[in-house]
């Protein structure tokens, strides 16, 4: 298992180019199951989750060819049973359920387990598919879905914590080949849902309203192959912006989509981080003494849960008190105890973390618990006095393309250590 050894204290300077979005490419890869024709996807990030989704598609019978940040997938003949162990390992793989059902009218996919950030149920995915006429049962750890006919319907996908991103993706992908019109109310508005809808429309689907809470899908008889370029990763861009501010450096973030990042950029500006936008480029540096800000995570266009941990690392450095409230996942504070090892003063009160910032951090060995928690530890390590060893960085490799090389390119003293 690899670790990252970081010698803190070097401000980040220079340019970094943002990769394709992990959370967009995974459902787009699943969507290729909807057609027997070849699809080409570009700006594909080189991530272990992408490799893993490729293995799942291969296990279903698809042919997956990898190029330089590109994939060509042909799902000519596929079977409807997701390999139990492969699917179980990656939660994102639940989004093969909708396309398998639409294409084959039956699917068996293993129940995704909970994970360290919360229980992560799929009741809303199943509710949406049932509304389209799917029969669902559970057997030997599998979700067994069958629908001799998928029929368009009006359905509501809001849950306890608001809309569901992959649930919206799953229902959209089933509805594209249903008879008639499906109206999804309380659909997730995330840019990744819009990117999926754009890809599906390029394949011949008829989807309107993606990006709003009401998505209308008019079913078609069949989809064809298509080419698509994945949107840039707004979470990776936000992570580099926060790292630039945390280290008191100046970074040009290239190839981003600032229009997908309003909530994060707004909070950073409130914290006195200076951000200049120039088309797809962002220049980020401190605009004075950092100021504490309160943050509540919300569905898009609110502040993303996937940036909560990184922002907490920044607030730990910021003199004063900030309150960070997590409203999407019930236990996404695993980074708090590890940030404390570096000297951060953070107390958890229910869904909120109270950060008493401004104490200097000092390096220590820490353990990454999930993807974004790992990113927070890296940011904290970049600013800490002395050496920080971040262990179990396979979490980081799931979602950040070459993060150590990109940070080194900005002047960070960071190296990968094999254990
Ligand atoms: N929820 C339900 N029932 C469901 C589905 C979700 O109650 O059937 C609840 C969840 O428990 C949670 C909330 O709804 O409280 C939102 O979950 P959502 O379904 O939107 O999450 P997801 O689609 O499983 C994706 C991303 C996550 C990201 C969330 C929220 C992928 C592969 N994953 O997960 O990304 O945090 O949306 O934006 O797209 C990450 O990249 O680190 C990551 C965890």
């Amino acid at each position: 298992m690899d670790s990252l050894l970081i010698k803190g204290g070097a401000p980040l300077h220079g340019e970094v180019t943002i990769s394709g979005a992990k959370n967009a490419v995974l459902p787009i890869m699943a969507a290729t199951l909807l057609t027997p024709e070849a699809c080409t996807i570009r700006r594909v990030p080189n991530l272990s989750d992408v490799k893993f989704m490729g293995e799942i598609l291969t296990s279903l019978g698809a042919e997956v060819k990898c190029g330089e940040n590109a994939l060509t997938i042909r799902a000519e003949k596929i079977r409807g049973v997701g390999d139990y162990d492969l699917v179980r390992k990656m939660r994102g793989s639940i989004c093969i359920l909708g396309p398998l059902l639409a294409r084959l009218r039956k699917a068996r996919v293993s129940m995704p387990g909970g994970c360290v950030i919360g229980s992560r149920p799929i009741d809303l995915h199943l509710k949406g598919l049932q509304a389209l006429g799917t029969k669902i049962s559970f057997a030997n750890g599998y979700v067994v879905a069958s629908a001799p006919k998928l029929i368009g319907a009006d359905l509501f996908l809001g849950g306890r914590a608001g809309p569901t991103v992959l649930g919206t993706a799953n229902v959209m992908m089933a509805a594209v080949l249903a008879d008639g019109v499906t109206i999804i109310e309380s659909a997730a508005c995330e840019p990744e849902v819009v990117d999926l809808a754009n890809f599906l429309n390029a394949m011949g689907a008829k989807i309107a309203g993606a990006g709003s809470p009401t998505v209308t899908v008019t079913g078609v008889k069949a989809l064809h192959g298509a080419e698509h370029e994945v949107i840039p990763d707004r979470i990776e861009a936000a992570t580099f912006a926060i790292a630039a501010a945390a280290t008191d450096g100046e970074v040009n973030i290239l190839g981003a989509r600032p229009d997908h990042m309003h909530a994060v950029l707004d909070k950073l500006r409130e914290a006195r981080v200076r951000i200049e936008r120039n088309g797809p480029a962002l220049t980020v540096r401190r605009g004075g003494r950092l100021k504490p800000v309160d943050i509540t995570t919300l569905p898009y266009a609110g502040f993303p849960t996937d940036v909560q941990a990184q922002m907490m690392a920044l607030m730990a450095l910021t003199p004063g008190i900030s309150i960070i409230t997590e409203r999407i996942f019930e236990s996404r504070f695993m980074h708090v105890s590890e940030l404390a090892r570096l000297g951060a003063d953070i107390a958890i009160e229910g869904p909120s973390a109270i950060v008493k910032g401004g104490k200097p951090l000092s390096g220590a060995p820490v353990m990454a618990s999930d993807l974004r928690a790992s990113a927070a530890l890296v940011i904290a390590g970049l600013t800490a006095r002395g050496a920080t060893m971040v262990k179990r960085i396979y979490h980081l490799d799931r979602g950040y393309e070459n993060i150590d090389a990109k940070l080194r390119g900005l002047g960070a003293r960071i190296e990968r250590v094999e254990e």
Side-chain angles (χ1 to χ4, degrees):
M1 243 183 268
D2 289 359
S3 300
L4 283 180
L5 177 63
I6 305 168
K7 293 199 177 113
L12 300 185
H13 281 282
E15 288 183 355
V16 65
T17 301
I18 297 309
S19 302
K22 166 181 88 81
N23 291 346
V25 75
L26 295 175
I28 285 172
M29 288 173 76
T32 64
L33 294 169
L34 286 162
T35 174
E37 296 181 16
C39 296
T40 298
I41 313 170
R42 302 190 201 286
R43 204 197 270 132
V44 175
N46 185 8
L47 303 173
S48 59
D49 268 10
V50 168
K51 189 166 157 273
F52 202 57
M53 184 59 119
E55 283 171 25
I56 291 171
L57 298 182
T58 307
S59 79
L60 294 169
E63 191 185 290
V64 180
K65 282 193 199 147
C66 305
E68 179 87 359
N69 287 115
L71 285 172
T72 299
I73 303 171
R74 183 194 289 272
E76 197 174 352
K77 284 202 187 104
I78 51 166
R79 61 194 199 103
V81 184
D83 179 275
Y84 190 83
D85 288 318
L86 273 179
V87 173
R88 197 169 52 105
K89 269 194 234 159
M90 186 175 75
R91 237 210 87 92
S93 59
I94 188 63
C95 58
I96 63 174
L97 183 60
L100 284 179
L101 191 63
R103 175 92 182 273
L104 305 171
R105 303 289 141 134
K106 53 184 193 222
R108 271 164 73 94
V109 176
S110 61
M111 278 291 287
C115 72
V116 72
I117 63 175
S119 63
R120 312 204 63 187
I122 56 163
D123 56 314
L124 297 170
H125 300 231
L126 301 184
K127 176 184 165 189
L129 297 176
Q130 279 168 324
L132 301 179
T134 308
K135 289 210 162 44
I136 305 272
S137 59
F138 303 93
N140 313 110
Y142 282 93
V143 180
V144 183
S146 70
K149 230 173 175 217
L150 284 168
I151 298 166
D154 287 8
L155 53 100
F156 178 79
L157 271 196
R160 177 187 55 78
T164 159
V165 176
L166 290 176
T168 302
N170 247 334
V171 175
M172 233 162 55
M173 289 191 279
V176 287
L177 292 181
D179 287 349
V181 178
T182 298
I183 297 176
I184 308 173
E185 292 291 358
S186 195
C189 302
E190 270 68 5
E192 293 74 17
V193 172
V194 179
D195 207 31
L196 172 65
N198 288 341
F199 177 56
L200 291 167
N201 283 343
M203 296 170 80
K206 288 191 181 149
I207 302 174
S212 81
T214 306
V215 174
T216 305
V217 185
T218 306
V220 296
K221 288 272 169 276
L223 297 185
H224 51 74
E227 289 199 17
H228 184 76
E229 187 172 271
V230 174
I231 52 169
D233 197 313
R234 63 194 167 102
I235 309 298
E236 188 199 16
T239 303
F240 278 103
I242 293 170
T247 59
D248 201 4
E250 178 167 340
V251 175
N252 271 327
I253 298 172
L254 306 179
R257 283 286 301 262
D259 55 319
H260 292 164
M261 298 171 65
H262 287 298
V264 171
L265 299 182
D266 189 58
K267 275 294 162 191
L268 284 173
R269 285 193 178 109
E270 196 183 323
R272 288 209 194 99
V273 178
R274 191 131 149 209
I275 296 161
E276 279 159 33
R277 266 178 76 166
N278 190 0
L282 288 169
T283 305
V284 183
R285 64 174 178 279
R286 286 189 194 177
R289 193 165 178 260
L290 289 175
K291 179 175 160 279
V293 289
D294 293 343
I295 290 158
T296 300
T297 65
L298 289 169
Y300 192 80
F303 193 92
T305 173
D306 292 345
V307 187
Q308 178 255 108
Q310 301 89 312
M311 201 66 184
M312 193 181 293
L314 182 67
M315 287 300 105
L317 301 164
T318 302
I321 295 178
S322 56
I323 298 176
I324 299 183
T325 303
E326 174 57 54
R327 291 267 177 237
I328 305 295
F329 292 111
E330 72 262 31
S331 47
R332 204 171 198 183
F333 280 144
M334 303 295 286
H335 40 283
V336 169
S337 54
E338 297 304 292
L339 287 171
R341 285 183 202 280
L342 302 176
D345 184 349
I346 307 169
I348 299 177
E349 294 274 354
S352 298
I354 296 149
V355 186
K356 290 187 192 151
K359 298 207 174 102
L361 303 184
S362 69
V366 287
M367 192 81 86
S369 55
D370 75 271
L371 172 55
R372 310 303 173 186
S374 317
L377 294 174
V378 169
I379 291 169
L382 289 171
T383 67
R385 222 177 329 105
T388 296
M389 180 76 100
V390 184
K391 298 187 181 192
R392 292 206 190 156
I393 55 148
Y394 58 85
H395 290 293
L396 267 179
D397 294 332
R398 286 187 36 223
Y400 288 94
E401 184 174 53
N402 299 330
I403 188 165
D404 42 333
K406 285 187 178 183
L407 286 169
R408 257 195 313 280
L410 294 171
R413 292 173 298 194
I414 182 168
E415 60 183 287
R416 192 173 279 256
V417 184
E418 274 179 41
E419 280 184 24

